[in-house]
């Protein structure tokens, strides 16, 4: 019977109505604090995981993991592509020609990066084909001077499929009449949308048309590579350049988007640390709750000691009571946090529709939707951390209870 005493009495103290309502209020506050801390931490980490996943799949699905270029341009690129695709880490290769320029239509101007691509090869290194809102990449036929625009770029220019746009490239053409910027008229054959800032500053044209515009002859700008592990892009790029020898250079995605990825990782760690402090504050509220309970139950403790309860059993009673309060708060917090993490995208979408506002503008942020990706490993770590802090907060009040001397208490009862 005495072996079960801590559980029986500790759980009874949790359920019992208290004469001191202030103790009940502090106990409820501790429980609510743990619930909110756990729920918010699960939600925030899920959103940060969502941003991280979107960066990897959506942004880096459009940005090459690695680019291999030659100082004099690549002429026999098919042979080099076959050579690179045989590497263990390389899972896709595609040729490209990049050209920075400015589109003009109807008096509106917008700068953009134009990627000259081969429609049959591009699917190996890019997800652009999966995000075509209108038209297809196959419409980029050599010699027809078609172009695929990002949805926001097309909106800013006020054009749609079938409209004509003028591309001005920052290279001058010398003619008998003087020096003129190089211009070329394109027909909009498609519009893509990935819900990111790339929609506002990226366009695609046929690689052979861009070769002609850039006056590259038979050479191309380089090869874009897709790797099986994007975090090995730096070492793999260096290994490829060393193997190819002089005259080649390589760059990877960390040069263009590495800082964004690092910022998200740093923010995730800092936010997790700050919210863990909130959980710690709520957990240590249990200290004040149990200290007041110990003071309120001194007579009960003395009676239990006189009938044979050991100091260890007395400690166990208040540890069980504190853990019960904490576990209830943690359990409710996990339920609320998981529910919010699974539905936050839909809730934000509903608020945007109801209020007629946009919380994340793709022109400002790198994605336009609030992503959420629940990872059970995060939930497990949060629960363990909250439980550990709760357990630590019960030790001092339980130790105080075990030190109560029955003779001193009963003398005045």
């Amino acid at each position: 019977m005495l072996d079960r005493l801590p559980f029986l009495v500790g759980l009874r103290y949790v359920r019992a109505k208290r004469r001191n309502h202030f103790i009940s209020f502090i106990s409820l506050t501790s429980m609510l604090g743990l619930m909110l801390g756990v729920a918010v931490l699960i939600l925030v980490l899920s959103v940060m995981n969502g941003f991280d996943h979107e960066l990897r799949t959506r942004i880096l699905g459009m940005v090459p993991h690695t680019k291999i270029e030659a100082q004099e341009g690549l002429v026999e690129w098919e042979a080099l592509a076959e050579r690179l695709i045989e590497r263990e880490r390389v899972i896709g290769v595609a040729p490209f020609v990049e050209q920075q320029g400015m589109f003009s239509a109807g008096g509106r101007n917008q700068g953009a990066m134009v990627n000259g691509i081969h429609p049959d090869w591009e699917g190996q290194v890019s997800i652009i084909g999966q995000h075509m809102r209108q038209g297809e990449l196959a419409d980029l036929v050599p010699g027809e001077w078609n172009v695929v625009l990002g949805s926001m770029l097309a909106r800013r220019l006020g054009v749609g499929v079938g409209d004509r746009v003028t591309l001005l490239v920052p290279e001058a053409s010398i003619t008998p009449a003087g020096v003129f910027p190089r211009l070329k008229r394109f027909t909009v054959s498609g519009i893509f949308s990935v819900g990111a800032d790339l929609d506002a500053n990226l366009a695609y044209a046929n690689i052979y048309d861009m070769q002609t515009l850039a006056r590259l002859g038979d050479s191309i700008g380089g090869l874009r590579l897709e790797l099986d592990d994007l975090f090995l892009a730096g070492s793999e790029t260096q290994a490829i350049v060393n193997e190819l020898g002089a005259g080649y250079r390589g760059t990877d995605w960390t040069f263009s988007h590495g800082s964004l990825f690092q910022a998200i990782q740093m923010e995730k760690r800092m936010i997790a640390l700050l919210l863990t402090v909130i959980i710690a504050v709520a957990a240590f509220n249990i200290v004040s709750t149990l200290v007041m309970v110990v003071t309120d139950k001194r007579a009960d403790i003395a009676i239990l000691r006189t009938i044979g309860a050991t100091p260890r059993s007395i400690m166990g009673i208040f540890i069980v009571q504190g853990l019960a309060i904490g576990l209830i708060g943690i359990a409710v917090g996990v339920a609320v946090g998981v529910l919010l993490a699974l539905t936050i995208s839909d809730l934000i979408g509903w608020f945007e529709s109801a209020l007629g506002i946009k919380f994340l503008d793709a022109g400002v942020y790198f994605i336009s939707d609030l992503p959420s990706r629940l990872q059970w490993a995060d939930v497990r770590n949060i629960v363990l951390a909250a439980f550990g802090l709760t357990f630590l907060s019960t030790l001092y009040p339980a130790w105080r209870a075990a030190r109560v001397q029955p003779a001193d208490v009963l003398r005045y009862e």
Side-chain angles (χ1 to χ4, degrees), residues 293-361:
V293 171
V294 169
T295 302
D296 191 53
K297 299 294 185 182
R298 285 170 61 86
D300 295 355
I301 295 171
I303 293 172
L304 289 173
R305 289 293 305 278
T306 58
I307 63 175
T310 64
R312 184 174 182 178
S313 297
I314 299 300
M315 281 191 68
I317 291 173
F318 293 97
I319 289 176
V320 168
Q321 182 183 0
L323 289 179
I325 295 172
L327 287 175
I328 293 173
I330 293 170
V332 177
V334 168
V336 173
V338 169
L339 180 62
L340 288 176
L342 295 175
T343 60
I344 188 64
S345 299
D346 295 331
L347 288 175
I348 293 298
W350 182 83
F351 276 113
E352 289 179 341
S353 300
L355 302 178
I357 60 175
K358 190 70 175 176
F359 289 103
L360 295 177
D361 186 353

Side-chain angles (χ1 to χ4, degrees), residues 4 78 81 273 289 342 397 407:
R4 295 187 298 164
E78 293 93 341
L273 178 61
T289 300
L342 295 175

Side-chain angles (χ1 to χ4, degrees), residues 351-385:
F351 276 113
E352 289 179 341
S353 300
L355 302 178
I357 60 175
K358 190 70 175 176
F359 289 103
L360 295 177
D361 186 353
V364 179
Y365 305 97
F366 72 94
I367 61 174
S368 58
D369 300 316
L370 184 67
S372 178
R373 187 176 179 86
L374 180 66
Q375 294 185 357
W376 292 107
D378 288 339
V379 176
R380 179 198 63 205
N381 293 336
I382 292 169
V383 170
L384 291 177

